[in-house]
Amino acid sequence: MIEWFDDLALGTRFKSASKLVTREEIKRFASEFDPQPYHLDEAAAEQTPLKGLAASGWHTAAIAMRLAVDTRPFGAHPLLGLGVDELRWLAPVRPGDTIHIEGEVIELTPSKTKPQGIAKVKWTAINQRGEPVYTFTPIAVVPRRPGATTSV
Amino acid sequence: MIEWFDDLALGTRFKSASKLVTREEIKRFASEFDPQPYHLDEAAAEQTPLKGLAASGWHTAAIAMRLAVDTRPFGAHPLLGLGVDELRWLAPVRPGDTIHIEGEVIELTPSKTKPQGIAKVKWTAINQRGEPVYTFTPIAVVPRRPGATTSV
């Protein structure tokens, strides 16, 4: 059971549940945050490089965050991010796609001054055909197990 | 008037309109995409490192995207991003804050094979006290002016 920074190791892996992305959700998110033809209008979207309606990349990012939160990679500790490295959209997310995310711990840096560490988990969102559609590496602050820092 | 990749120069600057971020919006976004106590529950949020209710970082990111879309940095051409570099959350966005974004072109790379280029604009979101709260550098694909590539 992973709960503290000290429970994580390079290569520790996580896998989320799946989420169906609906046409209605794509248009609702886009109308509020990314009102461009790719995301709102089927006919106009056909004429774009995306060749059809697709979710806003920021919608995909938000869905991936929800999947990460529900995965609880740090047990009861929340996800608190300073930022994100290597955010890339790899393929369109279409209405009716089902995506999940898979993560791997790629960097662990204990703080020298606070009872916490920085954990970088590289997450990849994958659709129902096994295709990676999005990847991001949040820079998360995770508390150390009480006593862990004094025992070294 | 900026319309094509060829109209952009290093140092070209943009400034968006402002957006009021409400308590209701913060909780609505968080309940769908980032259901953590920081973003949903005032009393619980007081006990966290954020010391009070704050918008999800992904909500701030989505609001910044909307402000960027409305700023039309590439004229009639849409914002089409391959990804984002240097995404960092710098300070909490609180209920009642008003944010806008300011951008600067920091990198321009014409494609060698297609009539387009990669433009990197470093955007910073700033609150009503002039404090930077968020920064991100999208990697955008922008078409070249017809004829521009053959005239070089």
Side-chain angles (χ1 to χ4, degrees):
Chain A
M1 170 75 193
I2 291 169
E3 189 178 5
W4 305 93
F5 178 79
D6 309 88
D7 300 326
L8 298 165
L10 294 178
T12 297
R13 289 175 174 274
F14 309 100
K15 185 173 179 180
S16 79
S18 292
K19 159 78 179 140
L20 170 69
V21 183
T22 71
R23 187 177 305 269
E24 184 275 327
E25 288 168 342
I26 288 173
K27 292 186 179 182
R28 176 163 52 86
F29 186 98
S31 64
E32 184 167 4
F33 297 115
D34 190 355
Q36 302 198 95
Y38 315 121
H39 313 310
L40 286 172
D41 181 316
E42 282 83 354
E46 292 291 344
Q47 308 303 315
T48 71
L50 295 183
K51 299 192 190 330
L53 199 78
S56 166
W58 296 102
H59 189 189
T60 302
I63 291 169
M65 179 61 184
R66 175 58 187 263
L67 292 172
V69 168
D70 290 349
T71 303
R72 294 208 162 281
F74 312 134
H77 293 114
L79 302 188
L80 179 61
L82 305 176
V84 177
D85 285 340
E86 289 294 318
L87 189 162
R88 295 293 181 274
W89 294 293
L90 307 173
V93 173
R94 306 293 187 184
D97 278 359
T98 298
I99 62 176
H100 75 280
I101 63 171
E102 299 183 10
E104 179 177 350
V105 177
I106 61 167
E107 196 176 311
L108 292 169
T109 310
S111 168
K112 294 196 171 95
T113 57
K114 295 179 185 174
Q116 64 189 34
I118 298 290
K120 291 192 185 177
V121 179
K122 178 184 168 81
W123 295 97
T124 302
I126 299 166
N127 69 17
Q128 70 277 12
R129 289 181 298 280
E131 298 159 347
V133 296
Y134 167 64
T135 185
F136 69 121
T137 301
I139 304 162
V141 179
V142 186
R144 298 205 65 174
R145 184 186 302 282
T149 54
T150 56
S151 69
V152 176
Chain B
M1 170 72 194
I2 290 168
E3 189 179 5
W4 305 93
F5 178 80
D6 309 88
D7 299 326
L8 298 164
L10 293 177
T12 298
R13 290 176 173 274
F14 309 100
K15 185 173 178 179
S16 79
S18 291
K19 158 77 180 143
L20 171 68
V21 183
T22 71
R23 186 177 306 268
E24 184 274 328
E25 288 168 340
I26 288 174
K27 292 186 179 183
R28 177 163 51 86
F29 186 98
S31 64
E32 185 167 3
F33 297 114
D34 190 355
Q36 301 198 96
Y38 316 121
H39 314 309
L40 286 172
D41 181 317
E42 282 82 354
E46 291 291 345
Q47 307 304 316
T48 71
L50 296 182
K51 297 190 190 331
L53 200 78
S56 166
W58 296 103
H59 189 188
T60 302
I63 292 169
M65 178 62 185
R66 175 59 186 262
L67 292 171
V69 168
D70 290 348
T71 303
R72 294 207 162 280
F74 313 133
H77 292 114
L79 302 188
L80 179 61
L82 304 178
V84 177
D85 285 340
E86 288 294 317
L87 188 162
R88 295 292 182 273
W89 294 293
L90 307 173
V93 173
R94 306 291 188 186
D97 278 359
T98 298
I99 63 176
H100 75 279
I101 63 172
E102 299 183 11
E104 178 177 350
V105 176
I106 61 167
E107 196 177 311
L108 292 168
T109 310
S111 168
K112 294 192 170 99
T113 57
K114 295 179 185 175
Q116 64 190 34
I118 298 290
K120 291 190 185 179
V121 179
K122 179 184 168 80
W123 295 97
T124 302
I126 298 164
N127 68 17
Q128 70 278 11
R129 289 181 299 279
E131 298 159 347
V133 296
Y134 167 64
T135 185
F136 69 121
T137 301
I139 305 162
V141 179
V142 186
R144 299 205 66 174
R145 184 185 303 283
T149 53
T150 56
S151 69
V152 177

